[in-house]
Amino acid sequence: MSALLHETPEERRKRLFFESAPPDPTQQARKAGSAHWNRSLGTVLMPQSVMPIGPHTGKLMERVPQDYLAWVQAQMWAAHWHPWHPVADYLTRFPLPESQGPQWPSHICTVSAMQACTPTQEWNYPEHAMLRCHHDIYLHEDKFHTFALGALNLRPQWFDPKLQAYRLTFPKRLMAIQLGAGELATDPRQRDRPNYQRTASDGSVLCTKAHYATKEQADLVAADRMRSRRNAPAFLRSYHCPDCGLHHLTSKPL
């Protein structure tokens, strides 16, 4: 206490500086009538700000689909995608409703096996793999293109509308699988179908149906397919398979 009584004005100024909370930069910018600019994040986003990245670029933040924001924020590669950092900061200040849970299929993006191809001016490689969207493209197209851009650094103009896919080199294919894309069968005859075959230790085939590790995951996929606007089944339920011990989907009632 005695030391405080004998401190000089300069010492008091330094003490108050280090003991006081730093000023809120967003409040200072708001008082000045401008948007706060952070050197590492850029402009701090508000609900009336414009979405800066991805397929929804140009929309107001409050009008960007919450399902899309929740999905990208949940991806492991989003933390390393620098253009997403302002959006991640926005979501910490304006959190999404708790109901926006993981209501997505297990793999929104899938990659095929490497296939031989003829090099062209656009693709100067002797082989390629295909990065494609989930079969219900109407619900997940924005997530698909964001995965290509944010996880694999693929430009939107590289999407081939004829193939409905992005072409990948072998290293990009491995990266896509590591970051969450589903791997399709390596058999050329099953090129566009996932390989669901599971075998026992003696080599006998246990099951060849599409499978899910838990009942909850299977129920989520069933609900997603019934919401589809294209070829949506009238009824779909999950069941436990006694042969392989996993869960499948069926349209047959109990």
Side-chain angles (χ1 to χ4, degrees):
M1 185 67 181
S2 59
L4 296 179
L5 296 175
H6 296 90
E7 66 181 359
T8 63
E10 180 64 18
E11 292 173 338
R12 182 174 182 275
R13 185 186 65 80
K14 291 182 179 181
R15 178 176 61 82
L16 293 177
F17 174 81
F18 287 108
E19 293 180 354
S20 302
D24 185 352
T26 61
Q27 293 291 338
Q28 291 180 329
R30 189 177 294 109
K31 290 180 180 179
S34 61
H36 168 63
W37 177 266
N38 182 287
R39 182 172 297 178
S40 60
L41 298 180
T43 301
V44 171
L45 299 177
M46 302 297 287
Q48 295 297 320
S49 302
V50 173
M51 178 69 174
I53 191 68
H56 298 286
T57 299
K59 290 184 180 179
L60 296 181
M61 290 300 302
E62 62 183 4
R63 297 186 178 180
V64 177
Q66 295 180 348
D67 175 73
Y68 167 81
L69 294 174
W71 181 83
V72 180
Q73 185 70 358
Q75 304 308 303
M76 57 182 175
W77 46 265
H80 307 286
W81 186 25
H82 183 74
W84 183 258
H85 291 178
V87 183
D89 172 71
Y90 169 86
L91 295 176
T92 61
R93 292 178 288 109
F94 301 94
L96 298 172
E98 294 183 0
S99 60
Q100 293 296 327
Q103 303 292 325
W104 317 294
S106 56
H107 297 297
I108 286 180
C109 305
T110 58
V111 289
S112 68
M114 296 300 296
Q115 308 164 29
C117 65
T118 302
T120 63
Q121 186 175 0
E122 293 79 16
W123 185 259
N124 192 25
Y125 299 96
E127 59 179 2
H128 63 206
M130 298 293 184
L131 177 72
R132 289 192 172 96
C133 184
H134 184 267
H135 64 84
D136 197 350
I137 192 171
Y138 298 100
L139 291 176
H140 307 296
E141 185 176 14
D142 53 352
K143 305 178 188 69
F144 167 66
H145 290 294
T146 301
F147 178 86
L149 178 63
L152 304 179
N153 197 28
L154 301 177
R155 299 177 184 177
Q157 55 267 34
W158 293 347
F159 177 74
D160 192 325
K162 294 182 179 179
L163 299 174
Q164 286 294 300
Y166 289 92
R167 291 182 171 188
L168 302 180
T169 60
F170 184 74
K172 284 287 186 182
R173 179 182 182 274
L174 294 181
M175 183 186 300
I177 295 172
Q178 292 172 357
L179 294 179
E183 184 178 8
L184 298 182
T186 56
D187 186 348
R189 294 171 298 177
Q190 302 290 329
R191 184 174 57 195
D192 297 324
R193 299 179 59 191
N195 183 9
Y196 296 122
Q197 179 171 304
R198 289 171 303 287
T199 58
S201 57
D202 59 358
S204 61
V205 178
L206 291 176
C207 186
T208 59
K209 297 179 180 179
H211 62 275
Y212 306 92
T214 64
K215 184 178 186 302
E216 290 75 15
Q217 184 181 8
D219 289 339
L220 287 176
V221 175
D224 180 75
R225 290 186 182 176
M226 286 190 291
R227 290 197 307 266
S228 172
R229 290 180 288 177
R230 182 177 62 179
N231 299 329
F235 174 77
L236 208 58
R237 66 175 179 86
S238 63
Y239 69 96
H240 181 264
C241 179
D243 295 328
C244 66
L246 300 175
H247 293 80
H248 309 306
L249 300 180
T250 180
S251 58
K252 298 179 181 179
L254 291 172

